Amino acid sequence: MIGGIEAGGTKCVLAVGHSPDAITATHTIPTRAPRETIAETTAWFAAQPAISALGLATFGPVGLDPRRPDFGHILATPKPGWSGFDFAGALARELRVPVAVETDVNAAALAEARAGLGVGSLAYMTVGTGIGVGLVVEGRCVHGAAHPEMGHYYPRRPAGDDPFAGVCPFHGDCLEGLASGPAILARWGATLSDLPGDHPAHERVAYYLAQACHTLFAATSVETVVVGGGVFDTPGLRDRIARICTELDAGYLPGGKRHRVAAPHLGHRSGITGALTLAQHDR
Ligand code: ZN
């Protein structure tokens, strides 16, 4: 048996199973301070069949370089108590199993790449309270100085755009500052799905997200960008993005005919399936 944890800002999903595709039990707990969260997690796993490895798909920022002392630690975060916390280490000590760690979005990208269409290179973009992008190239999650943070790149503002400053506390009008759920709420006073279908917000948000997809196709040559998250409760948004992305490319990219903007194959299970995939590879 293997175990997985998808640790998000507000909740953690815990799971055990025989493989990523054969989860036998799941449990959801609120994300509290590290001590309480670890205690609750340990108690649940103790009541399950023994596992031989654990995959941790966590909110970031998180140290992913095994040669560095901050490997598996949560890095500077506004989340109380979590900055510098050795998340993977605490789990390894309490559960006495090896722990493989990734960002939640990288793990989700890994699961989608594996389970979806069998593509080796794929990006996973989630648009909700923030914008996170996970990146798998040739079957491996991309790391470097840290993990990708594509949600914080600066998209081009369309001609005639109003002077909305954006809501990112670090960058103002980066992608997350312009197109995340809180940005949409701050700019138009409603969620995208609550705005009428002919409201200009739909085309504007799709334009920003389509730029991100085009940039991913151009910069990384992924075949598929999987787009999910709360903002995609809005009917038609994914199709708008695909259309605008094709327009933005203007027939240039050589891989263009293979590019797809797709819904998550695994629905809401991408993250936890990715966590078990990490455990399976690490066992
Ligand atoms: Zn930003």
Side-chain angles (χ1 to χ4, degrees), residues 102-116:
E102 259 304 340
T103 62
D104 46 3
V105 282
N106 260 356
L110 189 65
E112 286 289 334
R114 189 176 156 279

Side-chain angles (χ1 to χ4, degrees), residues 78 129-131 151-152 154 164-178 180 182-183:
T129 52
I131 297 182
H152 295 272
Y154 294 98
F164 177 65
V167 301
C168 177
F170 298 95
H171 313 115
D173 60 349
C174 66
L175 182 66
E176 184 171 297
L178 289 170
S180 62

Side-chain angles (χ1 to χ4, degrees), residues 251-278:
Y252 176 72
L253 292 176
K257 288 200 167 46
R258 291 170 63 180
H259 292 160
R260 289 181 62 236
V261 176
H265 191 79
L266 296 163
H268 296 296
R269 293 175 293 117
S270 306
I272 191 63
T273 304
L276 277 116
T277 305
L278 299 172

Side-chain angles (χ1 to χ4, degrees), residues 11 25 28 34 63 65 70-71 79 104 114 123-124 179 184 192 197 218 233 237 245:
K11 64 182 172 112
T28 301
D65 185 344
D70 64 4
F71 177 67
K79 216 178 290 296
D104 46 3
R114 189 176 156 279
Y124 176 91
I184 293 164
L192 200 57
D233 292 344
L237 178 59
C245 188

Side-chain angles (χ1 to χ4, degrees), residues 6-13 28-34 36-37 40 59 79 82 87:
E6 180 190 11
T10 56
K11 64 182 172 112
C12 293
V13 180
T28 301
I29 62 170
T31 305
R32 288 192 258 263
E36 287 81 2
T37 306
E40 213 169 334
F59 60 84
K79 216 178 290 296
W82 284 91
F87 200 178

